[in-house]
Amino acid sequence: MIKSAVVLGLAAGIGLAGSIAQASDDPIATRQAIMSSVGAAAGLGGGLMKGEIAYSPAAGKAAIATMNAAALTFGDYFPAGSDQGETGAAAAIWENPDGFSAELAKFADATAKAFEASGKDGPADVEAFKAAMGPVFGSCKSCHETYRKKN
């Protein structure tokens, strides 16, 4: 079961890479594709933390690596004018770019620390995974409170 979850996650990541490449001329589509991968990693991470998915270091590493990759590029897809259209991005991003940049920096810092702590093979056990991913999830929540449209 663990191997199939990791394989499915990797397959989704490969498909996502193709989606991002196709969406590169459309910043809204690109950031939505990136956030889709973050959502999948968060779902995997949450499932691992809650015991809904059997923990494995490889699965933990996959969730952390996905979050880290997103943190390295996500902020590049908010040019002026990309606040229009089908987007969940709140106007506060463009009204307070320094605040948004600070949130992105916190996300990048949290994911970099989690990535480093996970080592080559991933966190050894679920407690180590929780310690690494907790700050990442906190960063996501903090950013979404201000910079994501409320539904």
Side-chain angles (χ1 to χ4, degrees), residues 34-147:
I34 293 169
M35 286 312 277
S36 179
S37 71
V38 167
L44 173 59
L48 293 168
M49 292 170 112
K50 294 175 188 174
E52 296 167 352
I53 300 171
Y55 184 77
S56 78
K61 182 71 172 190
I64 290 169
T66 299
M67 293 285 206
N68 187 239
L72 296 173
T73 61
F74 188 64
D76 296 339
Y77 296 99
F78 291 88
S82 68
D83 57 334
Q84 305 300 310
E86 296 293 320
T87 179
I93 291 170
W94 293 272
E95 294 165 356
N96 183 8
D98 292 339
F100 183 58
S101 291
E103 288 292 342
L104 291 174
K106 287 194 299 190
F107 181 50
D109 183 59
T111 63
K113 287 177 180 173
F115 191 77
E116 185 176 324
S118 71
K120 178 180 176 264
D121 298 322
D125 57 39
V126 73
E127 293 307 316
F129 178 73
K130 287 177 181 179
M133 263 317 248
V136 174
F137 283 145
S139 174
C140 292
K141 181 180 181 203
S142 175
C143 189
H144 284 186
E145 287 174 351
T146 304
Y147 298 104

